[in-house]
Amino acid sequence: NKTDEQLHIFFLPLMAQGHLIPAIDMAKLFSSRGLKSTIVTTSLFAPFLSKSLPTSDTQIDILTIKLPTAEVGLPEDVEGVHMAKTPDMQNKFFRSCGLLGPQIVDILEQRRRRRHRLPDCLVADMFFPWATDVAAKFGIPCILFHGTSYFALCAALCVFLHEPYKNVSSDSEPFMIPNFPDEIELTRSRVADFVKNDDGSVLATWYKESKKMEARNYGVLVNSFYELEPRYADHYTEVLGKKAWHIGPLFLYEKEAEQRACRGMETSINQHECLKWLDSKEGDSVVYVSFGSVANFADDQLMEIAAGLEASGQQFIWVVKKEKREGVVREEWLPEGFEERMEGRGLIIRGWAPQLMILEHEAVGGFVTHCGWNSTLESVCSGVPMVSWPVSAEQFYNEKLVTRVLRIGVEVGAKKWKRLVGDFVKREAVEKAVRNVMEGEEAEEMRSRAKRFAEMARRAVEEGGSSVSDLDALFEDLRSQRAARDSTKKN
Ligand code: UDP
């Protein structure tokens, strides 16, 4: 009986594009290798998921849950992290995520009552630390999906364990990340509030729980590939003692062009028009500017970006999360006459961009990014060097990986971890960093290093490649776990 043999994985991703996209990629990848997957999410994202999944794929189910918004005082329609637009709303959102455990218990109880096989594993987001206990209750392994680099996993753990930010006298005094393979300098201002402020806030409490989860779960799935950061992959497993499987870059397994372009979202620009625009440009002559799905810059910051891009003299595609306001003479966040002046030279996409399609186009030669891990990896795999502009989350760690270890990026100079809005960066810094990533010998060197990593990434996801081998090792492991469970049941 096929369903008796088939491994079945439950994915519990955070309700955010940056977390759902890799979960979908994983489910599709697992399905292509004969596994069954169930992705659990809120109804807001169900259509997005359906659009991302081929109808022919019967091995992936979507299960919807209800975010307990009323319990935490959130409006009912705030079902995704991108809709929580203020730190206060974000706090409530994460508190609400902390209350999801009982719904998953119910789902699993029901399966048991109906004599359906329990899933063989929960792959849970770092934002759901309760998943470890839920999995333990049902005697199945819980694997953490962090959605970041080995480098950031190591850095976060070393900073958490050794608290080096306590030994400096100011926010700007540098310290080294302790117990680390390379000498990497950091400052207290770059460390997340929820790490350094032990103030009992929602996120500080969650962070401690998530670190406990990291210590207790069965292992960690990493969307990276060994050749990109071998010292950090080894450090995480051998020195820090974690069990981990590197199975990325996940989006490289997706072969369908439309899916690759928009990642299941409706793009705010006609993809053919976007391609036509890019086709008319020379190789490596356009810089792509985008800050992911969560960061939300204030108008004065957008104004500086516009001015910096204009002064850089470079061609650009800039993604801004703003609606076009018809009939308005001047939008507050844009310098007067900007779009007219930039006609032919710069393209503004308001809303959702076909990011992967843009990055993979040969006209694109640089990426101004907030260093979200998905964006970073997409840039690496497209052979595109970066201007790093971290905002929050673990982005300041990814910046160090990009600029100091891989040496495929230049820092714009954002120094302060600040949720949603980021540290203020002036136009001159934007201009300089954009020039440095696009022009000159150093830019060329960064570009050729990035292209070498892109080549390595492609090999990692081929049969016999490092990521595919780790994927097989993961499935083997889950199969033997299942066999052990079955034999205990029989005895
Ligand atoms: N993305 C996209 N179009 C956009 C903005 C984002 O396709 O206009 C995709 C991007 O390619 C990446 C993900 O959304 O896969 C964003 O994830 P990331 O980790 O970079 O940042 P986050 O949104 O989590 O801050």
Side-chain angles (χ1 to χ4, degrees):
N1 179 329
K2 190 174 174 224
T3 48
D4 273 353
E5 285 161 23
Q6 198 179 26
L7 286 174
H8 181 186
I9 313 297
F10 255 52
F11 289 97
L12 308 173
L14 179 72
M15 294 66 108
Q17 266 102 6
H19 296 238
L20 272 160
I21 289 171
I24 296 165
D25 286 338
M26 277 191 281
K28 284 189 187 172
L29 169 64
F30 288 15
S31 160
S32 74
R33 300 182 85 86
L35 276 72
K36 186 168 172 54
S37 298
T38 300
I39 305 177
V40 184
T41 191
T42 51
S43 56
L44 172 77
F45 286 103
F48 160 73
L49 281 183
S50 312
K51 236 186 117 201
S52 309
L53 300 171
T55 38
S56 57
D57 199 330
T58 54
Q59 297 310 309
I60 305 175
D61 288 334
I62 302 164
L63 246 179
T64 49
I65 46 171
K66 167 88 186 73
L67 197 66
T69 42
E71 285 84 336
V72 298
L74 259 186
E76 202 182 8
D77 62 345
V78 180
E79 288 186 64
V81 81
H82 63 291
M83 299 171 84
K85 297 241 184 261
T86 62
D88 176 57
M89 276 177 97
Q90 260 199 3
N91 287 345
K92 289 180 175 156
F93 183 86
F94 290 124
R95 190 172 309 137
S96 166
C97 288
L99 304 176
L100 282 169
Q103 283 185 64
I104 307 301
V105 171
D106 277 352
I107 291 169
L108 296 175
E109 289 284 12
Q110 261 187 39
R111 286 190 76 89
R112 195 147 66 181
R113 269 201 307 276
R114 291 180 186 154
R115 301 195 179 280
H116 291 167
R117 242 188 187 285
L118 286 173
D120 295 287
C121 167
L122 300 186
V123 172
D125 205 285
M126 61 184 286
F127 279 96
F128 303 147
W130 44 259
T132 319
D133 286 331
V134 171
K137 185 174 157 75
F138 291 89
I140 53 178
C142 179
I143 292 180
L144 172 63
F145 182 68
H146 230 300
T148 192
S149 53
Y150 272 117
F151 181 94
L153 282 171
C154 291
L157 199 54
C158 291
V159 168
F160 177 76
L161 293 173
H162 303 286
E163 303 181 321
Y165 50 86
K166 287 191 172 165
N167 308 328
V168 286
S169 53
S170 75
D171 269 0
S172 56
E173 185 186 329
F175 59 82
M176 294 294 171
I177 302 180
N179 187 22
F180 220 51
D182 293 307
E183 296 217 324
I184 302 289
E185 230 176 55
L186 216 61
T187 55
R188 192 160 66 195
S189 65
R190 290 175 169 86
V191 176
D193 287 350
F194 54 75
V195 177
K196 62 191 176 198
N197 301 340
D198 196 4
D199 55 3
S201 66
V202 183
L203 281 177
T205 312
W206 154 75
Y207 194 65
K208 280 213 191 75
E209 287 299 311
S210 88
K211 283 286 163 262
K212 273 193 221 151
M213 175 197 197
E214 196 173 330
R216 286 177 53 214
N217 61 30
Y218 188 62
V220 184
L221 279 182
V222 188
N223 184 12
S224 185
F225 58 103
Y226 184 78
E227 293 76 6
L228 185 70
E229 34 174 3
R231 284 199 309 290
Y232 292 91
D234 292 344
H235 195 72
Y236 193 59
T237 51
E238 288 163 19
V239 180
L240 301 173
K242 305 288 166 194
K243 187 161 177 152
W245 300 269
H246 43 77
I247 59 170
L250 288 163
F251 61 90
L252 283 187
Y253 298 100
E254 173 70 69
K255 300 287 183 247
E256 218 260 294
E258 175 74 14
Q259 279 300 336
R260 288 180 62 77
C262 66
R263 317 306 331 267
M265 295 284 283
E266 188 113 9
T267 52
S268 313
I269 183 170
N270 180 297
Q271 288 174 31
H272 300 289
E273 263 169 44
C274 186
L275 268 185
K276 216 166 88 191
W277 192 89
L278 283 165
D279 284 345
S280 73
K281 306 295 177 194
E282 285 184 16
D284 298 329
S285 72
V286 175
V287 61
Y288 173 62
V289 186
S290 174
F291 302 92
S293 61
V294 182
N296 197 10
F297 288 156
D299 285 356
D300 57 350
Q301 181 64 84
L302 296 175
M303 184 71 94
E304 293 301 297
I305 296 175
L309 285 173
E310 180 163 9
S312 76
Q314 299 294 326
Q315 307 187 96
F316 60 86
I317 295 183
W318 178 21
V319 188
V320 188
K321 287 198 242 52
K322 293 267 185 196
E323 303 279 328
K324 180 116 187 155
R325 289 164 53 211
E326 296 302 339
V328 172
V329 184
R330 191 173 92 71
E331 291 171 281
E332 306 75 45
W333 56 277
L334 267 185
E336 189 129 25
F338 183 79
E339 278 190 289
E340 295 74 43
R341 281 200 303 285
M342 293 302 113
E343 175 111 43
R345 195 188 117 187
L347 188 63
I348 296 182
I349 300 179
R350 291 167 165 83
W352 193 258
Q355 175 160 314
L356 204 48
M357 184 189 92
I358 294 172
L359 282 173
E360 287 181 340
H361 197 284
E362 57 189 24
V364 174
F367 180 13
V368 181
T369 172
H370 70 310
C371 298
W373 183 240
N374 295 297
S375 294
T376 306
L377 204 54
E378 286 160 8
S379 198
V380 167
C381 295
S382 309
V384 171
M386 287 161 259
V387 169
S388 57
W389 185 327
V391 174
S392 64
E394 89 301 4
Q395 294 149 15
F396 282 90
Y397 297 140
N398 293 335
E399 167 176 70
K400 296 291 177 198
L401 171 66
V402 166
T403 59
R404 300 297 154 92
V405 180
L406 306 175
R407 297 192 296 129
I408 52 171
V410 291
E411 300 184 6
V412 83
K415 295 187 182 72
K416 281 193 202 119
W417 189 99
K418 223 166 166 191
R419 257 204 276 174
L420 295 166
V421 292
D423 191 12
F424 191 77
V425 175
K426 292 205 179 117
R427 59 188 68 191
E428 294 79 16
V430 178
E431 176 192 345
K432 184 163 172 248
V434 166
R435 280 186 194 278
N436 286 345
V437 88
M438 296 302 287
E439 300 168 357
E441 217 171 285
E442 213 174 305
E444 271 318 305
E445 280 168 20
M446 288 196 291
R447 201 161 289 131
S448 58
R449 271 196 289 277
K451 289 196 159 73
R452 282 202 293 279
F453 286 124
E455 196 39 53
M456 291 179 201
R458 240 155 274 280
R459 281 202 296 273
V461 298
E462 282 168 7
E463 269 329 291
S466 54
S467 290
V468 174
S469 306
D470 240 22
L471 192 63
D472 288 337
L474 166 72
F475 296 160
E476 214 31 66
D477 207 317
L478 291 178
R479 276 195 195 94
S480 60
Q481 286 269 322
R482 169 198 264 213
R485 277 198 308 278
D486 286 351
S487 80
T488 338
K489 254 188 257 158
K490 271 188 209 124
N491 293 334

